[in-house]
Amino acid sequence: MTLLAPTLQAWFTDRMITERDSSPQTIAAYRDTFRLLLAFASERTGKQPCQLEIDDLDAELIGAFLNHLETDRGNGTTTRNARLAAIHSLYKYAALRHPEHLATIGRVMAIPFKRHQRPGLTYLNQDEIKALLAAPDTSTRLGRRDQAMLLLAVLTGVRVTELVTLTIEDVDLGSGAHIKIKGKGRKRRATTLTPETIAALREWLKERQGHPHDPLFPTRQGQPLTRWGVRHLLEKHTATATASCPSLKDKPVSPHTLRHTNAMLLRAGEIDIATIALWLGHESIKTTYIYQHTDPTLKQKAVDRIAPIGAKPGRYRPSDSLLAFLEGL
């Protein structure tokens, strides 16, 4: 076994799992990166993965691998950059333990992330929300489950991973009704429920039954829904809703669209950005500023405050002392 193999194993077991206590999702994503990379490197070098050296995975090979992801596998720039982030993390770990390979490691660390244009933020308006919530067939148990789940997603802004991991005991419908969310990076938060959501969840829980640790929104077999399952259900109900709301036809609707929708509802209610960041579980308020830029109401208010071109500069001053008094009231 070469030096690369024990270094990669130690990075996963000692650094990622033991020291950083990374989430299962992070471990799985990084695992898949190195499965693909080792298979690619093995094919290029003719060596078995366990025979590869650190110097075999040099900047030239890593660059070719990243191009392979985009051209042959059809991955987007975001996926390409995520794979590179995993590789950088391993090489940063290896640099402290194998300084004899610093030349190779340094050139790999110098490979930049690719810049890309971020897609526009998509969210639903009031008519589209109503059409989507009316789409599930509430004469069936699964339809009632889907309606409660979609309503909760729209009015709380939970991430899809947070949604599918909710259990019965995470719902508190007593005084100060809320749901307890296991958020990104193992951060926990409580999100307050609206009266409409409380009523829907109360009816669903009455029908759902089950034990405290059971999933809040189970499959037909009683297992937790997956992220892909939620996406499939959303696509199905969006297609149904399009019949009564044609504007949905050309709008890409994903679980994250419902999260954006919740944020825009909060902005429409003139909730400040800092509160929205806490509500959504954003680690940095900078992430939340996208909703500030997207809100057309704020832009219209700014336009309304702009003086007409050619207007005489300066503040308005009433010409009469009585009018000045009235203006000051």
Side-chain angles (χ1 to χ4, degrees), residues 25 160-167 170 181-182 215-216 224-225:
Q25 291 84 1
V160 64
T161 303
E162 298 167 348
L163 183 65
V164 298
T165 55
L166 284 174
T167 61
D170 290 330
I181 300 171
K182 296 178 279 290
L216 178 60
L225 282 167

Side-chain angles (χ1 to χ4, degrees), residues 35-197:
R35 276 180 174 174
L36 293 169
L37 175 59
L38 293 177
F40 178 82
S42 179
E43 184 178 344
R44 289 285 293 260
T45 63
K47 297 181 179 181
Q48 292 297 315
C50 63
Q51 298 174 330
L52 290 167
E53 300 280 358
I54 291 178
D55 288 339
D56 288 326
L57 273 63
D58 57 11
E60 182 181 354
L61 186 139
I62 299 298
F65 170 67
L66 296 173
N67 290 333
H68 161 71
L69 292 178
E70 293 188 276
T71 58
D72 298 332
R73 292 183 60 86
N75 293 154
T77 304
T78 301
T79 301
R80 181 256 192 206
N81 287 344
R83 302 296 190 202
L84 180 58
I87 295 168
H88 278 177
S89 182
L90 170 65
Y91 276 61
K92 189 182 298 183
Y93 175 84
L96 301 175
R97 286 153 183 79
H98 307 296
E100 67 275 17
H101 293 287
L102 278 178
T104 296
I105 292 171
R107 285 191 287 271
V108 171
M109 293 296 296
I111 298 175
F113 294 104
K114 181 176 284 189
R115 296 175 65 88
H116 63 287
Q117 185 174 357
R118 296 182 180 274
L121 188 148
T122 302
Y123 60 95
L124 306 183
N125 60 37
Q126 290 285 355
D127 291 337
E128 291 165 344
I129 294 171
K130 291 176 182 177
L132 180 62
L133 295 177
D137 181 4
T138 54
S139 66
T140 67
R141 185 174 188 272
L142 293 180
R144 292 188 289 274
R145 176 204 65 185
D146 292 355
Q147 187 181 65
M149 181 176 66
L150 293 174
L151 179 66
L152 181 69
V154 169
L155 294 184
T156 61
V158 294
R159 299 178 178 92
V160 64
T161 303
E162 298 167 348
L163 183 65
V164 298
T165 55
L166 284 174
T167 61
I168 293 175
E169 67 179 351
D170 290 330
V171 181
D172 186 341
L173 300 181
S175 178
H178 63 277
I179 53 172
K180 291 172 283 187
I181 300 171
K182 296 178 279 290
K184 193 174 182 180
R186 290 191 174 85
K187 297 181 181 67
R188 291 182 174 268
R189 69 183 190 276
T191 299
T192 305
L193 300 175
T194 65
E196 184 180 5
T197 313

Side-chain angles (χ1 to χ4, degrees), residues 197-215:
T197 313
I198 294 170
L201 288 180
R202 182 170 285 123
E203 288 300 314
W204 169 244
L205 286 173
K206 190 185 302 181
E207 180 177 3
R208 166 74 180 88
Q209 299 299 316
H211 301 288
H213 294 295
D214 288 341

